[in-house]
Amino acid sequence: MEAYIARYRSTANALLSKYEPIALVLGPLLALFVARVFHSIICAFQEKGIKGVVLGFGIGAVKLIPGVNSYIESEKKKVVEKLLSGDKSKDGWRTELPNVGLGRAVIENLDDAKSKDVAWQGKCSGTVYISGRESEGHFSLTNEAYSMFSHTNPLHKDVFKSVAQFESEVVAMTAALLGSKEQSSGGQICGNMTSGGTESILLAVKTTRDYMKAKKGIKKPEMIIPESAHSAYDKAAQYFNIKICRVPVNKEFAADVKGIRRCINKNTILIVGSAPGFPHGIIDPIEELGELASSYGVCFHVDLCLGGFVLPFARKLGYPIPPFDFSVKGVTSISTDVHKYGLAPKGTSVVLYRNREIRKHQFVAVTEWSGGLYISPTIAGSRPGGLIAGAWAAMMSLGLNGYMESTREIMEVSKKIQKGIEEIPELFIIGKPHMTVVAFGSNDVDIFEVNDQMSVKGWHLNALQRPNSLHICVTLQHVPVYEDFLRDLRESVKIVKLNPGPVSGGSAPVYGAAGKMPDRGLVKELLVEFMDSSC
């Protein structure tokens, strides 16, 4: 063996003696550099596709031309100014404390400010889910419950034991709606309350990242989402340094299981499904995704932020609702908003996990702080106990019968709105909505101009893209006014068809231009500039 090694060394030295020492040092470094560049190019093609890479290269080259960047900045400023042109809300805003406190007179200021809000009753897509006005019925009850506990903070469990109990019971009651009592769930469903669907999703993603690192040693985590998945996953990816693989939906606008399967690799920690998706109200194939996640040993989060307090009751009412909860094998976490169809005060959601082994990775524990030992279950430290009490009061006051009745009303009105839209020749429904979100587009008129006409009539709808469309998320607020909505929609379509063109101050030109921009990075910059100027 020693003779073989000596002979091999002699042969190698003879071959390498032909080269300069500096070449022997730089050669491997150059090869490593080329390999790194080649790897980056492959990753770029995988992430953006051939078209995206070519467009990005072309646009980058154009920006190198003198004067182009300054022109782009000038045009961006014009667009942002146009978006802000109708917003005079900051005029006269206070920038410092009054010299003398107003005392109880401040209530008059609040009333005056509130009177300047738009007339939202029955006019908004989603937004307000409780029926009636703030001073009556269920609205009044939840407001009273909140005010009773507005001073409390569940961070101090030893002081506010009542709020700790309310949170535990809200989580348990929600879990029972979403399969915790089913044998297939494993009987260990647990969770916490959060400030909303975004925080619930952020926590589920962070928890999954840490759980999969502990379980599989994954240090470069990736998650796979349908393009219809909520933007909160993009936020989570940015916050927690997770790579996203975004998969186009299928022809039914639901998650494409085959496409998701193709994206799974050794770094995949999570796949995502929605029940329903926010854009089109369509439930993803949760059972198939669950089987896929289970077979590959990855986690599976179901976004039930919209559907958690509708689908269980709609199923009891006889609607054909496919499986969506912890009874499905492979589901490891669920997010659901109590402040939507749970009819609780704004700022209440629940994140649930299949077992405590997963959830413990949600918590942050600090042992070396001079302030003492610290542990927190959610992103926030201090949390408003009044909101927890309001959510508990909402669920307890309504009960099963109350939720069944509200679900019956909104499901019936959703079907009536869908039928009414289908009867407008210029419009078409996107996909086959399972629930209370009805999305619609047009091949005959500019749908964003229709949206501007609806805005003139006081309606606030959601504008969508890919394809360009609008949707209305039906709530109890719409039950008494759905016929008004359909009448105004018919009139708006007629106006746009007879007189196509943008409404003064409308957003149609901006939406239309943004949809056609090949440089999505520029669209992102516009959004950031707009947010920076408006908050």
Side-chain angles (χ1 to χ4, degrees):
M1 177 62 74
E2 290 181 4
Y4 175 79
I5 293 174
R7 190 164 58 251
Y8 178 79
R9 182 186 299 131
S10 177
T11 302
N13 287 334
L15 288 170
L16 295 173
S17 65
K18 302 175 184 178
Y19 301 96
E20 291 289 332
I22 188 68
L24 295 176
V25 173
L26 292 179
L29 293 177
L30 180 61
L32 184 63
F33 174 75
V34 170
R36 185 80 179 212
V37 171
F38 187 65
H39 178 262
S40 298
I41 293 172
I42 291 175
C43 289
F45 276 109
Q46 288 178 336
E47 183 176 347
K48 300 179 180 178
I50 296 175
K51 182 179 177 181
V53 171
V54 172
L55 273 173
F57 179 80
I59 291 168
V62 169
K63 287 181 178 180
L64 294 175
I65 300 173
V68 169
N69 263 335
S70 59
Y71 174 77
I72 291 174
E73 289 301 317
S74 173
E75 291 302 303
K76 276 168 54 180
K77 186 177 180 181
K78 290 178 184 177
V79 172
V80 172
E81 288 175 352
K82 180 176 178 59
L83 288 170
L84 293 170
S85 61
D87 185 9
K88 306 295 184 184
S89 59
K90 287 190 176 182
D91 294 349
W93 280 17
R94 283 189 174 275
T95 58
E96 56 186 335
L97 286 169
N99 290 328
V100 179
L102 302 180
R104 287 290 303 173
V106 75
I107 300 298
E108 295 177 13
N109 292 45
L110 290 172
D111 281 335
D112 180 59
K114 186 177 180 182
S115 69
K116 296 173 184 175
D117 288 344
V118 300
W120 51 263
Q121 288 84 359
K123 290 284 190 175
C124 298
S125 172
T127 311
V128 180
Y129 292 76
I130 303 172
S131 62
R133 298 178 179 273
E134 305 99 309
S135 60
E136 59 190 27
H138 185 77
F139 243 133
S140 177
L141 181 144
T142 56
N143 288 342
E144 184 177 352
Y146 174 85
S147 66
M148 289 174 65
F149 291 86
S150 62
H151 61 287
T152 66
N153 181 355
L155 182 66
H156 304 287
K157 285 189 174 184
D158 55 330
V159 179
F160 304 116
K161 295 179 181 179
S162 56
V163 173
Q165 177 184 340
F166 295 154
E167 177 174 12
S168 181
E169 291 185 1
V170 167
V171 170
M173 289 188 288
T174 304
L177 291 175
L178 302 178
S180 69
K181 302 301 181 182
E182 301 291 332
Q183 188 174 355
S184 56
S185 74
Q188 298 183 49
I189 308 302
C190 55
N192 293 91
M193 288 190 68
T194 72
S195 62
T198 294
E199 186 184 356
S200 290
I201 288 170
L202 288 173
L203 285 171
V205 173
K206 181 268 180 193
T207 302
T208 298
R209 182 198 66 177
D210 294 352
Y211 170 68
M212 292 296 278
K213 182 178 180 180
K215 183 181 179 182
K216 289 189 171 183
I218 296 176
K219 296 180 180 178
K220 295 182 178 180
E222 300 181 16
M223 63 177 169
I224 307 169
I225 68 172
E227 64 180 13
S228 57
H230 197 277
S231 298
Y233 297 101
D234 293 86
K235 184 180 284 190
Q238 292 184 36
Y239 283 3
F240 306 132
N241 196 26
I242 297 171
K243 181 179 177 182
I244 277 186
C245 178
R246 196 185 315 275
V247 179
V249 293
N250 61 26
K251 61 182 181 180
E252 285 84 29
F253 294 91
D256 182 358
V257 178
K258 291 182 180 178
I260 289 173
R261 180 185 287 109
R262 287 193 293 269
C263 287
I264 295 177
N265 60 43
K266 64 179 182 178
N267 289 320
T268 301
I269 61 168
L270 179 69
I271 62 176
V272 168
S274 304
F278 170 82
H280 311 122
I282 294 168
I283 298 175
D284 289 329
I286 302 301
E287 272 193 314
E288 293 178 56
L289 291 172
E291 290 176 9
L292 184 63
S294 183
S295 64
Y296 280 90
V298 300
C299 292
F300 176 32
H301 181 78
V302 179
D303 182 353
L304 274 162
C305 290
L306 265 177
F309 282 84
V310 173
L311 297 180
F313 310 112
R315 185 165 53 187
K316 289 179 183 291
L317 290 168
Y319 286 92
I321 305 297
F324 58 86
D325 57 18
F326 281 112
S327 63
V328 175
K329 180 182 179 182
V331 174
T332 52
S333 57
I334 285 176
S335 53
T336 187
D337 288 357
V338 198
H339 67 204
K340 288 190 172 75
Y341 293 105
L343 307 182
K346 286 297 178 186
T348 51
S349 179
V350 172
V351 59
L352 298 169
Y353 300 95
R354 184 168 286 274
N355 55 52
R356 296 179 184 277
E357 180 63 24
I358 300 173
R359 186 182 66 155
K360 72 180 184 181
H361 294 279
Q362 175 181 290
F363 306 149
V364 173
V366 181
T367 61
E368 306 308 308
W369 180 37
S370 59
L373 300 177
Y374 177 90
I375 187 164
S376 176
T378 61
I379 291 175
S382 293
R383 291 184 291 152
L387 291 177
I388 294 172
W392 184 87
M395 295 176 72
M396 292 294 290
S397 66
L398 288 166
L400 176 62
N401 65 313
Y403 284 119
M404 291 288 285
E405 178 59 22
S406 65
T407 299
R408 183 189 63 76
E409 288 185 308
I410 57 175
M411 289 295 285
E412 287 180 359
V413 168
S414 299
K415 298 305 177 186
K416 289 175 181 177
I417 287 177
Q418 181 177 337
K419 184 175 183 295
I421 294 173
E422 289 171 339
E423 291 172 350
I424 301 174
E426 295 82 4
L427 303 180
F428 61 85
I429 300 293
I430 294 179
K432 298 178 180 178
H434 287 100
M435 211 182 82
T436 53
V437 174
V438 183
F440 53 95
S442 177
N443 293 321
D444 300 312
V445 294
D446 186 327
I447 198 67
F448 296 138
E449 290 182 12
V450 172
N451 190 34
D452 284 346
Q453 291 293 340
M454 290 293 283
S455 296
V456 170
K457 298 177 186 298
W459 297 94
H460 301 269
L461 307 179
N462 292 94
L464 315 174
Q465 60 180 352
R466 300 177 181 174
N468 290 349
S469 50
L470 308 176
H471 89 205
I472 180 169
C473 178
V474 180
T475 74
L476 290 172
Q477 287 281 332
H478 299 118
V479 172
V481 298
Y482 77 91
E483 290 177 328
D484 297 338
F485 169 78
L486 291 172
R487 183 194 64 242
D488 287 347
L489 182 59
R490 284 191 292 269
E491 290 179 1
S492 296
V493 169
K494 185 177 180 180
I495 291 170
V496 173
K497 190 172 184 179
L498 293 175
N499 300 286
V503 174
S504 176
S507 61
V510 176
Y511 271 106
K516 295 174 183 176
M517 282 184 184
D519 184 1
R520 306 311 289 173
L522 180 57
V523 178
K524 182 177 180 179
E525 290 173 15
L526 282 171
L527 290 174
V528 172
E529 291 285 346
F530 170 71
M531 181 57 65
D532 189 48
S533 302
S534 60
C535 71

